[in-house]
Amino acid sequence: MNDIMDLRLFTEVFITLFVIMDPPGTVPIFLGLTSAMGAKQRNQAARTAILVAFGVIVSFAVFGQQILNYMGISLPALKASGGLLLLLVAMELLTGKMEEPTPSGNKGVNVALVPLGTPLLAGPGAIVATMVFVQRADGSAADWVAIAAGVVAVHLTLFLAMRFANVIHRVLGDSGTILVTRIAGLLLAAIAVQLVADAVTAFVQMAS
């Protein structure tokens, strides 16, 4: 199986993006932003938000390397900045700031595009994390398949979470959703600290 897809890399990509994009924590936000919509409109909004988020993530995964090369940014620098960004996202999850989004005051704006698709789903944390995984890939087909499968799997999970948001919210309740979000923030903080530590180690090795 590892000849076709690197299972370890797939697991890392899926877990990292799952924690950052937080499908359970998306449920109350999605319900709040689409409260005035009917069932059909809500399902359409879920599909649109996922397509927008997926497009943004894939765009940075494909062209992110060229941007880094043009700007002369090294992998340790990307890891350090990515770790700091992920830490900010983790703090928002832990403090509950992500649970009370401010909808756009313009009623003509499609909330599935902004703020759902981006920046709530495809935010800086998810973008940087994806670019870091692409940087880590050694060019083998198994690595690329693992990254692509991880990104697709997370977006599928997000779609299912929003598609069945009413059911999930009833099962978890407000307290359950908040608990899951706090745990996600704790895990994300650990991932962020590890990224920064790896970056510092790499900088030290480059300097020696």
Side-chain angles (χ1 to χ4, degrees):
M1 185 65 180
N2 283 334
D3 293 335
I4 301 175
M5 180 175 69
D6 188 331
L7 291 177
R8 180 177 179 180
L9 180 57
F10 166 78
T11 302
E12 290 182 13
V13 172
F14 178 79
I15 292 177
T16 301
L17 292 181
F18 183 92
V19 169
I20 295 171
M21 302 177 88
D22 189 20
T26 301
V27 172
I29 298 174
F30 177 72
L31 290 175
L33 292 174
T34 60
S35 58
M37 298 182 181
K40 186 176 180 180
Q41 291 177 311
R42 184 173 290 158
N43 293 339
Q44 180 61 42
R47 288 193 293 270
T48 302
I50 292 302
L51 288 175
V52 170
F54 184 75
V56 171
I57 294 296
V58 170
S59 296
F60 275 92
V62 173
F63 300 109
Q65 181 63 56
Q66 286 76 11
I67 296 174
L68 292 178
N69 291 338
Y70 178 76
M71 300 184 69
I73 300 174
S74 65
L75 179 58
L78 179 63
K79 284 186 176 181
S81 62
L84 293 176
L85 281 174
L86 297 186
L87 191 58
L88 291 176
V89 175
M91 292 302 100
E92 290 185 350
L93 289 173
L94 288 169
T95 57
K97 290 184 179 180
M98 280 191 169
E99 293 157 19
E100 298 179 358
T102 303
S104 172
N106 187 350
K107 294 183 179 179
V109 174
N110 187 348
V111 295
L113 302 177
V114 179
L116 273 177
T118 183
L120 287 178
L121 297 183
I127 290 171
V128 171
T130 304
M131 292 176 64
V132 168
F133 282 119
V134 170
Q135 281 280 326
R136 284 177 48 189
D138 59 11
S140 66
D143 282 356
W144 291 112
V145 171
I147 294 172
V151 171
V152 170
V154 169
H155 282 80
L156 179 59
T157 305
L158 281 165
F159 174 74
L160 292 176
M162 290 191 290
R163 178 65 177 80
F164 301 101
N166 289 322
V167 178
I168 295 175
H169 199 193
R170 275 200 302 269
V171 172
L172 291 179
D174 292 335
S175 299
T177 302
I178 292 174
L179 175 61
V180 171
T181 301
R182 296 296 185 273
I183 294 174
L186 181 61
L187 293 174
L188 183 56
I191 293 172
V193 171
Q194 186 62 56
L195 278 175
V196 174
D198 291 344
V200 171
T201 301
F203 279 128
V204 171
Q205 292 175 345
M206 290 171 59
S208 61

